[in-house]
Amino acid sequence: MSIFTSGYQARQLRRRYLERSLGTVAAFAILFWLTINFLKSPSQFFQASLIGLSNGILYALIALGYTLVYGIIELINFAHGDLFMLGAVFSANFITIWFGKESSGPSAWGVFFLCLLVVMTLSATVNVGIERFAYRRLRRAPKLAPLITAVGVSFCLQFVGLRWNGSGPKTWDTVLPAGAFHISGVSIDYTTLFSFAVTVPLLLLMSWIVTRTRQGKAMRATAQDQDAARLMGINVDRTISFTFALGGALAGAAGLLFQQTRGLTSYNLGYQLGLIAFTSAVMGGIGNLQGAVLGALLIGLIQGLNDGLPIGLGQQWSQTVVFSILILLMAFRPTGLLGKPTTEKV
Amino acid sequence: MSALLEVKDLQVAYGSILAVKGLSLTVNQGEIVTLIGSNGAGKSTTLRTISGLLKPKAGTITFEGERIDGKSGHDIVSKGLCQSPEGRRIFPRMSVRENLDLGAFLRNDKDGIEADRERVLDLFPRLRERYEQKGGTMSGGEQQMLAVARAMMGAPKLLLLDEPSMGLAPVLVDMIFETIIKIREQGITILLIEQNAAAALEVADRAYVLESGLIKMSGKASDLAKDEAVTKAYLGG
């Protein structure tokens, strides 16, 4: 018995030692790769990081919607990416077709901010409606039922996008200021600055709502225990609706920003970016808000560095690199970077 | 004495299975009333229905003369009916402070909330020591104290306690029951559900014995404690 135990313990120790040394080696390899790239061309390094971060912050807007909804009702809302797609298609129509704005200028920027307001409100409303009609009745059903419903809703939205936007990608003229300025070899697009200027306040507002307001308190309580939240006098249905509204609004904003920074819409954007955003949420620890933002920035950064550094695998390998890192991370930290399994006593 | 809570012919079903089969009970202002019975008798179901977590199949629930059956949970809390649920159900990833804040979720009277906070922390000094600790990391007894304290933060007219002694060490059980008496002395009416019938009958004024969804017996707690059938079935005598 004792021999068995000590043999087992020794194996465990060896395994842990091996894992730790492998992790350390991997970390050093990445650090080494970053260092030689940095030394080779600092400006290219910063350029790639900047592109990565500006993609990442867009992923963050979408990832938050996945993580908010998962946090409160433990549902992977597959339709979320498609809501983002509809936001992008709507914005393109709103700015370019309905308001006829095709170039930058003060009045076009006014339309941009009007569109931001409208698309956020609209996406929030649609998301609340989806929850009300498709998910609410399934709240006590087996987990598979709402999951397959979400997949169904995703297809419905995708086909709305297909009818509206056509089967191929469409390109659009955008109204954000074109051009860039340069700081020692690094060129910073005005559109990048613009999307940071819109996204960062949204993220801060969001974190303020969740941590500081009464509604946020109700959200956190509902996420932890719905019945107990009811016993505190919290209107659980309304709190869940509010959560979907928040996630929807962020997806709408992301749609507008994507459309205006890339000048592109396509009915399957939700599948492409939605998957990346969902991956970010899982990487950061699904249900954890800071985790979703961290995961999104990391994935953006990984993509940016991999695509843009002089010594790297290049764009064709971008997704492979991202998902390999995800698989590795999941193997060692199944709860994600910031997700912590709490010890809950009953 | 006037009836604060009146439950009449209450029926509650899970699907097609009737768990409460026509229960009536009254709680008067200022009383401690206990509902005792074995596991599965329908005690928690009754309490959950009063709090609005379950919808009754038939019957009425009246609180301060107003029908509350079928109303949603948050409406019922706003009328002054607060529950400390079975299994404590504290918010595990929140601190003691945040849990207490949530107990007062529907209140706006800042001064009143602060006064009540001091009052429950005096009642459970242990919670003051654990004030910034996460609920999920505390011991079972501390969690139970928090669950009761949290319910009291809602400024209840009627406090519903579901099995507050469950799974606690004997010394903590005594402490909880002493606290229940102290809470009543502060003018709060209490409806107490217990499997620990002996202790419940000791603190309560009146008692109901629930068996398979029906009230089998009722009366003064001190009388029931002496009753032969009750002693045999619930007090291990």
Side-chain angles (χ1 to χ4, degrees):
Chain A
M1 188 68 194
S2 66
I3 294 166
F4 172 77
T5 319
S6 65
Y8 176 73
Q9 279 173 343
R11 266 204 308 281
Q12 282 281 309
L13 270 175
R14 257 205 311 276
R15 223 189 89 193
R16 209 171 300 161
Y17 180 72
L18 194 71
E19 277 176 9
R20 206 165 293 168
S21 12
L22 270 176
T24 317
V25 169
F28 269 108
I30 292 172
L31 209 64
F32 179 69
W33 173 66
L34 291 176
T35 316
I36 54 166
N37 274 303
F38 180 74
L39 292 178
K40 194 161 178 329
S41 163
S43 66
Q44 213 168 340
F45 184 86
F46 284 118
Q47 187 76 61
S49 310
L50 187 71
I51 292 172
L53 285 178
S54 70
N55 284 334
I57 203 160
L58 191 75
Y59 301 154
L61 282 179
I62 313 173
L64 277 170
Y66 281 105
T67 230
L68 274 168
V69 165
Y70 184 86
I72 204 151
I73 55 171
E74 291 185 9
L75 167 75
I76 306 293
N77 181 13
F78 281 111
H80 189 72
D82 302 289
L83 190 67
F84 151 76
M85 175 274 295
L86 285 182
V89 176
F90 173 87
S91 304
N93 281 278
F94 186 91
I95 294 175
T96 312
I97 297 179
W98 303 337
F99 279 83
K101 298 291 176 202
E102 292 182 345
S103 58
S104 185
S107 75
W109 298 336
V111 172
F112 176 91
F113 282 107
L114 180 66
C115 184
L116 182 67
L117 223 66
V118 174
V119 77
M120 284 178 78
T121 315
L122 219 61
S123 306
T125 315
V126 171
N127 217 22
V128 168
I130 291 171
E131 189 274 328
R132 181 70 192 78
F133 293 109
Y135 303 150
R136 185 172 296 181
R137 293 181 60 85
L138 300 175
R139 219 175 276 158
R140 282 170 203 270
K143 288 268 182 280
L144 207 54
L147 200 71
I148 204 72
T149 301
V151 173
V153 175
S154 160
F155 276 113
C156 289
L157 297 186
Q158 232 178 86
F159 281 90
V160 172
L162 187 65
R163 293 294 301 170
W164 196 0
N165 194 63
S167 57
K170 261 189 190 168
T171 50
W172 308 83
D173 290 323
T174 63
V175 302
L176 296 187
F181 65 92
H182 302 268
I183 304 175
S184 54
V186 183
S187 83
I188 300 169
D189 291 345
Y190 290 122
T191 51
T192 307
L193 282 185
F194 210 90
S195 50
F196 274 106
V198 174
T199 314
V200 172
L202 280 179
L203 293 180
L204 291 177
L205 179 70
M206 158 83 215
S207 118
W208 179 77
I209 288 174
V210 173
T211 54
R212 295 267 175 265
T213 66
R214 210 174 119 81
Q215 239 346 297
K217 210 197 279 181
M219 278 169 66
R220 284 182 291 136
T222 305
Q224 292 181 33
D225 190 331
Q226 280 190 22
D227 271 350
R230 277 198 187 90
L231 290 176
M232 303 298 105
I234 291 168
N235 187 336
V236 166
D237 283 343
R238 201 196 295 159
T239 305
I240 292 174
S241 289
F242 181 77
T243 309
F244 273 82
L246 269 187
L250 294 179
L256 167 67
L257 280 172
F258 178 88
Q259 189 267 330
Q260 283 296 314
T261 50
R262 311 291 200 284
L264 177 89
T265 57
S266 162
Y267 81 96
N268 61 2
L269 276 184
Y271 177 69
Q272 301 168 3
L273 263 85
L275 188 64
I276 292 282
F278 172 58
T279 307
S280 314
V282 173
M283 201 173 197
I286 188 110
N288 183 308
L289 299 183
Q290 294 98 318
V293 176
L294 179 68
L297 291 178
L298 261 180
I299 287 189
L301 205 55
I302 292 168
Q303 282 181 336
L305 290 173
N306 180 63
D307 300 357
L309 288 186
I311 307 164
L313 291 172
Q315 204 157 8
Q316 292 101 320
W317 288 92
S318 190
Q319 302 299 63
T320 314
V321 169
V322 167
F323 286 100
S324 306
I325 290 176
L326 175 82
I327 290 167
L328 263 179
L329 185 81
M330 287 291 109
F332 294 110
R333 272 195 79 90
T335 51
L337 289 168
L338 299 184
K340 277 185 215 123
T342 42
T343 45
E344 287 170 25
K345 288 184 185 172
V346 178
Chain B
M1 278 198 287
S2 62
L4 186 64
L5 177 79
E6 201 165 8
V7 179
K8 254 194 188 144
D9 306 320
L10 184 73
Q11 292 185 16
V12 190
Y14 292 106
S16 59
I17 300 156
L18 215 52
V20 175
K21 303 170 180 165
L23 172 150
S24 299
L25 63 80
T26 316
V27 181
N28 295 313
Q29 188 77 50
E31 275 185 317
I32 297 181
V33 173
T34 182
L35 186 60
I36 56 177
S38 55
N39 228 340
K43 306 184 303 284
S44 287
T45 305
T46 305
L47 219 54
R48 287 169 65 82
T49 312
I50 295 173
S51 277
L53 298 181
L54 296 170
K55 301 276 173 264
K57 187 167 178 267
T60 61
I61 304 170
T62 315
F63 184 66
E64 291 190 308
E66 187 189 347
R67 286 274 296 270
I68 58 165
D69 47 277
K71 286 212 157 105
S72 54
H74 52 93
D75 272 345
I76 290 171
V77 176
S78 71
K79 297 192 190 313
L81 250 149
C82 300
Q83 184 184 150
S84 157
E86 183 181 15
R88 298 142 203 160
R89 307 293 283 270
I90 51 138
F91 298 106
R93 297 191 292 279
M94 292 188 190
S95 65
V96 169
R97 175 176 52 79
E98 290 173 297
N99 268 280
L100 294 181
D101 284 347
L102 275 162
F105 185 77
L106 289 177
R107 295 172 64 185
N108 293 317
D109 54 324
K110 264 205 173 132
D111 296 342
I113 293 172
E114 287 322 304
D116 278 347
R117 191 191 301 273
E118 284 308 309
R119 195 162 66 124
V120 300
L121 290 175
D122 287 344
L123 213 51
F124 299 105
R126 181 69 71 87
L127 293 181
R128 206 188 285 277
E129 295 165 26
R130 298 275 183 267
Y131 202 51
E132 295 297 338
Q133 194 173 324
K134 296 261 182 287
T137 66
M138 302 198 303
S139 74
E142 289 162 348
Q143 290 189 1
Q144 186 61 62
M145 295 175 202
L146 179 55
V148 176
R150 186 182 64 176
M152 287 186 62
M153 287 302 289
K157 292 171 190 159
L158 175 62
L159 183 63
L160 307 170
L161 299 174
D162 196 343
E163 303 263 13
S165 76
M166 190 170 66
L168 298 189
V171 56
L172 280 173
V173 173
D174 291 346
M175 182 260 162
I176 288 280
F177 280 104
E178 278 162 26
T179 312
I180 290 173
I181 295 174
K182 279 189 208 156
I183 293 172
R184 192 255 296 270
E185 282 164 4
Q186 298 182 357
I188 297 171
T189 310
I190 296 169
L191 175 57
L192 168 70
I193 280 190
E194 261 302 336
Q195 272 191 65
N196 185 344
L201 290 173
E202 210 168 295
V203 298
D205 302 305
R206 288 190 306 112
Y208 293 86
V209 180
L210 189 63
E211 224 178 86
S212 348
L214 280 169
I215 298 287
K216 189 106 185 292
M217 260 183 285
S218 63
K220 276 179 69 176
S222 52
D223 292 345
L224 282 180
K226 283 179 246 149
D227 187 278
E228 208 171 306
V230 174
T231 321
K232 235 187 178 151
Y234 301 106
L235 303 177

